[in-house]
Amino acid sequence: MIRFEAVEKWFGQHQVLAGVTGEVKRGEVVTLLGSSGSGKSTLIRTVTRLEGIQGGQVLFEGVDVAGRGVDINRLRQRVGFVFQAFNLFPHLSALGNITLGLERLRKMRKAAARERAMTELDRVGLADKADALPSRLSGGQRQRVAIARALAMDPDVMLFDEPTSALDPEMVNEVLRVMRTLAQNGMTMVVVTHEIGFAREVADTVWFLDKGQIVESGPPAEVLDDPRHDRLRSFLSRAR
Amino acid sequence: MGYVFDPAAVLTGQYLDWFIWGLATTIALTVAAWLLGMTIGIILTLVRMLPFRSLEWLVAGYVEYHRNVPLLVQILVWYFGVPQLLPRAIRMWVNSHHSEFLLAMVALGLASAAYITEDLRSGIRSIPKTQYEAARSIGFNYLQAMSYVILPQALRIVIPPLINQTLLLFKNTSLAMAIGVGELTYRTREVDSYTFKTFEAFAVATVLYLAISFAIMALGSFADRRLKLEIR
């Protein structure tokens, strides 16, 4: 579904992605681990062209996302993106955050959009907060609304950029629970995270990035319990 | 012999009518120019944020002209200069349809737009870039992201400076008397020259101007309170 082929990117003189190659298959949950600055967030941002690349290719369903004739807005509707800082629209209620895309992009009627949004809010356990503005929600609730907002667009794949890193510890679990359910229902997911436990339990594949390269990849049991690289070994010992 | 202050003398008969018409014209001119200014101001703001240098310079030139040339000069240019450039048919039409009001509205509206776009731009800059990114990630294009996500937030932030611009615009409508628009100041001068009750006439005008100014301020702070509380 998503293929990275020798992807390279520089920020000025600094190379953040140094030839990343890998594939995310339909229905697969891939977790990206790595210390900060390893390029994992940048990598998933290249899928929807939030970051441009200087070398290689990013393919979504076989099509180069940077190719001519690619309608990037259409592509983005098919790829849900969840940010570390939630990025809810503060002037809209939880419901309004979700209906905006349904009404304006999917051209749904108000009532239908509302109904769909309520279904999504219910799915993340926040039906009772539909009319609350983001400022009235806790961090964990905000992130769950952000997930519902992305899911409402019926994406083929969901990308998560450190979805729990900005949360207080007691709120991490409510977000992970939603993500776990999503994975169990067969959603294709790419998750940048520091939650080793989540990776071990939910991921089909773990990629460990270091200095802009995937240095180790495989099933969590293999990568996490039997790390071959020193960098991964020290990363895991620090994370525990 | 002392001067007897007698406002009732200018608030009767045709003089009262003149004040009422003057006030109505002032309000109409303010509202029309405000709507024009807001519309052009928003368009200029969207245009200057497109990734084209030449457009950015064009808008910058527009802003500098309107901010640095006296408003009275701008009004006179519109009234005496621009109609001559128009095709005869349009000129005839304009001249027979209260051209002075129309052209004063255009001059005031365009000048306001220059200030409004500056306010809007600083408002937009204060919205975190991540909001734009989130909107684009849902699949909105540039214009949609701007109009559904960025501008609604920026507008709330710029309400106080916009109230300021509205007040300035309201007071500046008095300059339209220079091209014969029968607004409040023009009518006040008329009352004055018919009655020689100078203080009374201008006292009435002052009170009316103050009343409308306060109303604008009240309206503005109402909007500010209602909208701002909701966000952060």
Side-chain angles (χ1 to χ4, degrees), chain A residues 14 23 41 58 86 119 181 232 240:
Chain A
H14 175 64
E23 180 167 14
S41 288
V58 180
F86 332 129
T119 308
T181 312
L232 178 52
R240 256 185 260 273

Side-chain angles (χ1 to χ4, degrees), chain A residues 194-207:
Chain A
H194 293 289
E195 299 288 334
I196 310 279
F198 177 84
R200 184 189 304 280
E201 187 195 342
V202 178
D204 300 304
T205 309
V206 174
W207 295 357

Side-chain angles (χ1 to χ4, degrees), chain A residues 9 11 16-17 38-47 51-53 161 192:
Chain A
K9 180 177 179 68
F11 284 132
V16 263
L17 297 176
S38 60
K40 52 197 193 308
S41 288
T42 308
L43 185 64
I44 65 166
R45 288 167 61 88
T46 63
V47 177
E51 303 285 353
I53 60 175
D161 187 7
V192 173

Side-chain angles (χ1 to χ4, degrees), chain B residues 26-172:
Chain B
T26 289
I27 291 172
L29 191 54
T30 305
V31 171
W34 190 87
L35 289 174
L36 180 69
M38 267 317 258
T39 310
I40 307 264
I42 289 175
I43 292 171
L44 287 174
T45 310
L46 292 175
V47 164
R48 78 198 302 185
M49 304 196 81
L50 290 171
F52 301 109
R53 266 291 148 76
S54 48
L55 288 176
E56 216 178 307
W57 286 338
L58 216 66
V59 176
Y62 177 99
V63 169
E64 293 315 324
Y65 168 77
H66 287 92
R67 289 203 305 187
N68 294 307
V69 173
L71 186 50
L72 186 55
V73 173
Q74 294 176 37
I75 291 173
L76 294 177
V77 166
W78 273 98
Y79 188 66
F80 292 111
V82 173
Q84 296 183 29
L85 305 175
L86 297 174
R88 211 180 113 82
I90 299 179
R91 192 168 67 221
M92 300 277 281
W93 186 88
V94 167
N95 283 340
S96 60
H97 286 81
H98 290 291
S99 64
E100 73 281 355
F101 181 89
L102 216 71
L103 293 167
M105 177 199 87
V106 170
L108 288 165
L110 294 187
S112 285
Y115 290 94
I116 288 171
T117 184
E118 287 291 285
D119 289 340
L120 281 177
R121 186 170 69 152
S122 65
I124 285 170
R125 280 187 173 169
S126 69
I127 306 295
K129 204 179 134 249
T130 51
Q131 285 288 308
Y132 178 72
E133 213 167 60
R136 293 304 302 266
S137 286
I138 291 174
F140 287 124
N141 62 30
Y142 164 80
L143 262 181
Q144 292 169 323
M146 277 294 165
S147 30
Y148 303 142
V149 175
I150 306 300
L151 275 177
Q153 293 181 59
L155 276 173
R156 285 161 165 82
I157 289 174
V158 299
I159 286 172
L162 282 185
I163 296 168
N164 236 346
Q165 293 311 329
T166 308
L167 283 173
L168 279 176
L169 169 64
F170 167 66
K171 290 184 292 177
N172 283 337

Side-chain angles (χ1 to χ4, degrees), chain A residues 45 50 72-73 76-77 79 81 83 87-91 97 100-101 104-105 133 135-136 149 153, chain B residues 129-142 144 148-150 152-153 156 229-232:
Chain A
R45 288 167 61 88
L50 290 176
I72 192 65
N73 297 318
R76 282 170 177 161
Q77 290 181 38
V79 180
F81 203 104
F83 298 90
N87 299 356
L88 291 183
F89 307 134
H91 62 300
N97 265 274
L100 186 66
R104 303 294 185 175
L105 291 170
L133 285 165
S135 55
R136 299 293 165 92
R149 177 172 75 179
M153 301 300 283
Chain B
K129 204 179 134 249
T130 51
Q131 285 288 308
Y132 178 72
E133 213 167 60
R136 293 304 302 266
S137 286
I138 291 174
F140 287 124
N141 62 30
Y142 164 80
Q144 292 169 323
Y148 303 142
V149 175
I150 306 300
Q153 293 181 59
R156 285 161 165 82
L229 260 184
E230 288 182 23
I231 289 201
R232 283 165 227 278

